[in-house]
Amino acid sequence: MSTALGLHRVREPRGVLPQAALRLDTDPFLAPDEVRVDVTCLNLDAASFRQLREAHGGDGDAVRAAVCALVRDRGKMHNPVTGSGGMLIGTVAEVGPESPLGLRPGDRVATLVSLTLTPLEITDGLRDWDGRSERVPARGHAILFGRSVAAVLPDDLPDELSLSVLDVCGAPALTRRLVASYARGGAAPSVLVLGASGKSGSLSLAAARRAGAGRVVGVVPDAAEEAALTAAGLADEVVRADARDAVALHALIEDRGGPADVTVVCTDVAGCEHAAVLATRDGGTVAFFSMATSFSTAALGAEGLGRDVTMLIGNGYQPGHSDLALGLVREEPGVRALFDRVPGTAGRTAEARTTANRTTADRALAGAGTVGAFAAVGNGAVR
């Protein structure tokens, strides 16, 4: 089990799991159940990239240097401010004889566990990245453990699109589970999504509707996002509001049918915890999928507001999560339209590149992804 969980890769401090480690061992020599992947692209999570960009004043060279330093010093991509990292795509180079992952050399894969727990070595200095987008062309290698999760990239979608979808595929999976639990009891719950026009937000809207939600509302920050989400047709109503302004959002929600049964937080900014709690009815559920979420703010805020809500920390793993998310992108034109707004995601498919001879996949969330769990946030306001 210690090998399967990657404990042997922890260099400092000994005895903790890889996600909690300060440094990991990136030695390319494999344990029997490990897999080595030749990296082609990293995808930084939205909260981490935003923090890096703001910390360096939008200077792409400085952002690139910061990421290189993090990976070099820690043996993984682990932003110490946000506690998050992202994921990667690459080609399987070597598979240990006891690996349970079902991968073969030559498979093109996306890792479905966080870079915060994935041993990673970068060899090209990220020279092909301008430091101005979440997608990071890269060369190097990564190590997957026996309990890691990875998906073979589909041939019918562009790699960049698949990477963006798989990076957030836990959100629609948990949303579907929550809504379906209401539906099994004969209810058609109302669902509110904060950050609804983004990647995880759009997928969560589509998953909620398919699972039997009675009413689906999306919250977006500005007019451009409002227009995009309205055109996509994924929400019954689109609300333009600052999700950090709990009082203002609460007033808007009260004027539009009242608090939701289920609220899903998919923003990439801090400070949305109180708004999510106030926008959810007593007895309802809030699922936090933002890496900018503060445990203490959420728990103490709910207690102070006297709100009896169940709060879940969503993680990147649910059984069948990758197939669900990819299916939504294939089958829901509105979801695909919102993803295609992201630079680089509308490129050619793997099949097309093959035909062309290839000339042209806090802290609690990432950790839970590797052991297949989700966590509930304690709330003192159970009355």
Side-chain angles (χ1 to χ4, degrees), residues 253-305:
I253 296 302
E254 286 288 347
D255 290 341
R256 290 165 171 80
D261 296 303
V262 176
T263 298
V264 185
V265 182
C266 298
T267 61
D268 63 357
V269 295
C272 301
E273 297 88 354
H274 292 169
V277 170
L278 271 179
T280 309
R281 69 166 179 82
D282 277 331
T285 303
V286 183
F288 290 104
F289 267 97
S290 169
M291 287 290 181
T293 300
S294 164
F295 173 95
S296 58
T297 300
L300 298 177
E303 180 177 340
L305 293 167

Side-chain angles (χ1 to χ4, degrees), residues 319-358:
H321 62 336
S322 58
D323 289 341
L324 169 65
L326 291 170
L328 290 171
V329 168
R330 291 186 180 105
E331 299 162 13
E332 295 284 349
V335 173
R336 180 62 184 266
L338 290 173
F339 268 85
D340 283 347
R341 298 185 309 152
V342 180
T345 59
R348 293 187 295 170
T349 63
E351 184 177 37
R353 282 192 309 280
T354 301
T355 303
N357 199 26
R358 300 189 186 274

